Every structure is written in structure tokens, then in C-alpha cells.
Amino acid sequence: MQLLEHVDYRLITGGEDLEAIYRLRYQSYLQSGMCGPIASGMFEDRWDNLPNSYRFGVYFDGHLVSTLRLHYISREHPYSPSVDAYPEILAERLARGETFIDGTRFATDADSAPAPGVLPFLTLRLGMVAASYFGLTAVLTPIKIEHSAYYARIFHAIQRTEGKVFPGVLAPIALFEIPCGENLRQTLERFPFFKSTAVEQRMMFANPAINRLTPLSIVPTAKYYRDAA
């Protein structure tokens, strides 16, 4: 909670900030073996500019430390990397009217972490804010199997597929699902820094990320719940 005092989230729409998160993705993925060399030194893909796409940079004391991309997917907007990678899991559920946040392109600058192990918490908080705003069926997170213990412990994530080829990366990826509803309520109670006010939620998600009128910087609001306790 104290570290959130130094954090701001930026909904990235273009310019130098966009190039910065693409470079961070590339550096992180190259180091971890998720991608090979790319001449531009930037990692971007065909899902980045979709109207249901939200690209975020996480800044600590003004320095970019991590990035995450979210897609809000529904029957009306069934477009995201996980929909393309796992149609056997998601196509029928979307047709029934279920809705999801698809979290992909998570990347960090470990050398800039303010403390060991905190960047996943600061970054994945974005998914919890999205879940609170949209009222979802679940948050989807395609990840390496070796990272699954973290997601199961913190978010009670459920594995839906075995590891398989995932668009744009080299490592096998499995689809995990974080149920919302009662599970989200319990997660927010266990980890109050994942909480957010309606104002923060609207600033992040009331308009598509490609809308350049969306505010650039968004300050975490979990502290207001702490101060009111």
C-alpha cells in the first residue's frame, strides 16, 4: 500500500510512451526467451490497436517499470489473443454472453523494481480494477506453466488448457482463468491494495484506449479505502 503512493498508471495511446512500452516488452521477452531478436527493438502485434484494447504503463516515481495490455471481450467484441489461441474454450462461452478481461503482454524491468517481488502486484492490480469496473465472468491470463503457482495462490486462478503455442511468443503458454464474483470479493478483502474507486475505474476503462482524450496518468485509489477504515 505504501508503494502505491509512488505509482501512477498511464493509459497509453501513442507517442514516446507507446514506443517505451514496446521496447520494454521486447527487452523483457528477449531476456526470458519469449521472443527472438527484432530489428526495431520493439515488440508489438496486431491486437494492440483494437478498439477493445487498453495498453498500460506502470510508472514508479516517474520511471516506467512494467506494462500490461488488457482486452475487454464479449459477444459483441470477441477479439483478443486468447480468443484466437483458445477458441475451443472461449467461443461458445462468449456466444452465451459471458464477458472477460484478457490480460497479455505483461513485461517488467526487474532492475527498476522498488522492492523484490512487488512488480507483479503493482501491475496485475490493473486486472482487478478492470474486473471491478466491467462486472466480468472472469479475468483470463495466458501464462507459462512455471508461473502458475503465483496466480493460483494470489488469485485462485484455474488452469483451463495445457501449454501450447501462443501467437507471437516462443514459449508454450497455458490459459488460466481467475473467476470474478465471490472470488473477486475475497481477493479484494485479502489484498486491499487491489481495491479501486469508481473514479479510478472510469478513468482507466470508460473509453477505449485508442481514444486520445482519455486522461494520461491515473493515480491508484486503494489508499482511500485504507484511510476510511
Side-chain angles (χ1 to χ4, degrees):
M1 190 72 80
Q2 291 176 338
L3 290 175
L4 283 181
E5 300 284 347
H6 301 264
V7 169
D8 68 279
Y9 298 106
R10 297 186 189 176
L11 183 57
I12 306 299
T13 59
E16 294 181 357
D17 283 337
L18 189 58
E19 293 183 0
I21 67 170
Y22 288 164
R23 285 194 295 269
L24 176 55
R25 279 184 196 171
Y26 173 66
Q27 292 160 4
S28 176
Y29 286 11
L30 185 65
Q31 185 176 15
S32 64
M34 293 281 283
C35 76
I38 300 174
S40 67
M42 294 188 287
F43 189 107
E44 55 183 309
D45 61 39
R46 66 181 184 273
W47 298 282
D48 273 315
N49 291 302
L50 293 177
N52 61 327
S53 171
Y54 302 82
R55 294 163 297 190
F56 288 96
V58 181
Y59 292 77
F60 192 89
D61 286 339
H63 299 287
L64 178 65
V65 294
S66 63
T67 181
L68 181 68
R69 182 182 64 196
L70 303 175
H71 287 85
Y72 172 61
I73 52 177
S74 63
R75 182 164 47 203
E76 293 75 25
H77 298 282
Y79 313 113
S80 80
S82 290
V83 174
D84 287 353
Y86 311 107
E88 72 281 8
I89 301 293
L90 297 175
E92 183 178 344
R93 296 179 65 181
L94 288 167
R96 290 200 303 262
E98 295 187 44
T99 57
F100 305 91
I101 281 289
D102 187 15
T104 56
R105 302 307 184 233
F106 174 33
T108 66
D109 179 3
D111 294 335
S112 298
V118 303
L119 288 184
F121 287 98
L122 298 178
T123 311
L124 297 174
R125 181 178 176 272
L126 289 160
M128 298 298 96
V129 178
S132 298
Y133 176 73
F134 285 108
L136 309 164
T137 303
V139 176
L140 305 175
T141 178
I143 57 174
K144 294 181 179 179
I145 296 294
E146 55 263 38
H147 295 161
S148 61
Y150 171 85
Y151 287 84
R153 183 176 72 253
I154 303 302
F155 302 106
H156 296 156
I158 302 166
Q159 185 173 350
R160 294 303 188 195
T161 71
E162 299 300 318
K164 60 182 288 187
V165 175
F166 191 81
V169 297
L170 299 177
I173 300 294
L175 180 65
F176 284 74
E177 177 180 336
I178 301 169
C180 292
E182 179 61 16
N183 181 61
L184 175 63
R185 187 194 68 77
Q186 293 178 0
T187 300
L188 296 179
E189 288 300 315
R190 290 168 59 217
F191 303 104
F193 49 82
F194 285 147
K195 292 182 178 181
S196 56
T197 66
V199 171
E200 181 183 0
Q201 295 164 22
R202 287 195 300 269
M203 289 178 72
M204 286 188 179
F205 300 110
N207 296 300
I210 58 172
N211 184 340
R212 296 182 182 274
L213 298 179
T214 304
L216 176 64
S217 293
I218 304 158
V219 177
T221 56
K223 65 179 181 180
Y224 296 114
Y225 287 93
R226 176 196 61 191
D227 294 343

